[in-house]
């Protein structure tokens, strides 16, 4: 009987440890998913601003647009999506060369360079 109780307590302890480990893994996975979602939302916001409008469709100042273009360099994991958008922006602003768009041109080219190294 004592032997049986020893095994039952050991099984209970192992069950508790396994339950804790599974719960911890689920919590870490959920946290990582939430982080990835926040990262994607921030990237999406930067793409919107880099294109010249905010998420509600209002035009942003060129200073904000340039800052957003440079900020895209922090999202290297989304380079596959950012590079085509920046190339299209470069194409659109290429026809309207003036002193202001030269700053946009420079920001886009530098960001494309950084993202293409990844």
């Amino acid at each position: 009987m004592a032997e049986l109780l020893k095994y039952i307590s050991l099984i209970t302890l192992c069950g508790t440890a396994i339950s804790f480990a599974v719960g911890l893994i689920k919590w870490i996975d959920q946290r990582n998913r939430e982080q990835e979602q926040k990262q994607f939302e921030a990237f999406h916001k930067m793409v919107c601003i880099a294109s010249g409008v905010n998420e509600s469709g209002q035009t942003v100042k060129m200073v904000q647009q340039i800052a957003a273009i440079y900020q895209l360099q922090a999202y290297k994991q989304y380079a596959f999506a950012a590079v085509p958008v920046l190339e299209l922006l470069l194409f659109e602003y290429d026809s309207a060369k003036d002193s202001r768009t030269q700053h946009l041109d420079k920001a886009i080219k530098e960001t494309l360079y950084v993202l293409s190294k990844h």
Side-chain angles (χ1 to χ4, degrees):
M1 186 71 167
E3 189 98 6
L4 183 64
L5 286 174
K6 186 170 91 174
Y7 286 118
I8 289 175
S9 64
L10 185 60
I11 290 171
T12 304
L13 182 64
C14 288
T16 303
I18 290 170
S19 177
F20 174 77
V22 168
L24 181 64
I25 290 169
K26 283 184 176 182
W27 178 79
I28 290 171
D29 182 57
Q30 181 64 29
R31 188 171 153 259
N32 287 341
R33 288 175 193 252
E34 288 172 2
Q35 292 283 357
E36 288 173 10
Q37 182 64 30
K38 286 179 185 179
Q39 188 85 346
F40 176 76
E41 288 170 5
F43 166 75
H44 185 267
K45 182 179 178 182
M46 286 303 116
V47 169
C48 286
I49 295 171
S51 68
V53 294
N54 61 20
E55 290 176 309
S56 61
Q58 298 171 327
T59 304
V60 297
K61 295 180 180 183
M62 188 175 285
V63 173
Q64 293 171 301
Q65 188 177 6
I66 291 170
I69 290 168
Y70 280 114
Q71 186 65 31
L72 287 174
Q73 294 177 17
Y75 301 98
K76 289 182 171 67
Q77 72 271 30
Y78 298 116
F80 68 93
V83 168
V85 170
L86 291 171
E87 288 174 343
L88 181 60
L89 277 174
L90 189 61
F91 177 75
E92 287 178 1
Y93 288 112
D94 201 33
S95 61
K97 290 284 185 189
D98 63 15
S99 60
R100 288 175 42 122
T101 57
Q102 287 177 354
H103 295 289
L104 273 172
D105 189 57
K106 179 183 176 200
I108 293 169
K109 286 180 179 176
E110 287 180 11
T111 301
L112 282 170
Y113 175 75
V114 169
L115 292 176
S116 67
K117 290 190 331 183
H118 178 62

